[in-house]
Amino acid sequence: MALFKIGKKKEVKSCCGGNFDAENMQKAKEAVLSGSKVKVLGTGCAKCNALEANVKQALEGLGMDTTIDHVTDFTEIAAYGVMTTPALVVDGKVVSFGKVLSPEEAAKLLK
């Protein structure tokens, strides 16, 4: 009786349809290290879109000309270690997750 099956590549699927095999996770980790300096992580729901709008407003108020990358890929979101969206990433670090920041709160984190 074998306790472990060795040699089989196991693919893990999330309840949300994400595909978390080794190849996709590596691609997601590479995406984490590259790209824009400000990212909103979320599926595109109303809260995620509200966070993106508030961050845009905060950037305009600060006079910053930075593009916002809205990440909807579950694998890339998981690579950040985020389990609750929406989330805000600044310079590769998750600075907020699980709530919609007001423009004022977002401005404080972006400074």
Side-chain angles (χ1 to χ4, degrees):
M1 175 165 91
L3 293 176
F4 302 100
K5 292 182 181 181
I6 299 175
K8 283 202 157 200
K9 185 177 179 182
K10 186 174 181 181
E11 187 175 290
V12 180
K13 293 201 180 233
S14 76
C15 62
C16 301
N19 185 2
F20 296 104
D21 64 4
E23 182 181 338
N24 284 335
M25 285 302 292
Q26 183 59 35
K27 286 179 186 176
K29 287 178 184 176
E30 290 169 7
V32 165
L33 299 174
S34 66
S36 68
K37 294 182 179 181
V38 177
K39 295 183 181 188
V40 172
L41 309 179
T43 59
C45 65
K47 288 183 179 182
C48 300
N49 292 333
L51 177 61
E52 183 177 6
N54 290 348
V55 170
K56 280 182 185 177
Q57 186 177 349
L59 287 169
E60 289 172 4
L62 293 170
M64 298 172 70
D65 186 27
T66 305
T67 56
I68 300 171
D69 187 16
H70 194 133
V71 178
T72 57
D73 180 44
F74 294 111
T75 308
E76 191 173 342
I77 292 170
Y80 280 99
V82 171
M83 297 308 223
T84 308
T85 59
L88 178 63
V89 177
V90 179
D91 292 331
K93 290 185 178 184
V94 178
V95 295
S96 173
F97 62 91
K99 69 176 193 171
V100 177
L101 299 171
S102 69
E104 295 80 20
E105 291 172 319
K108 287 180 186 177
L109 294 173
L110 292 168
K111 284 184 181 179

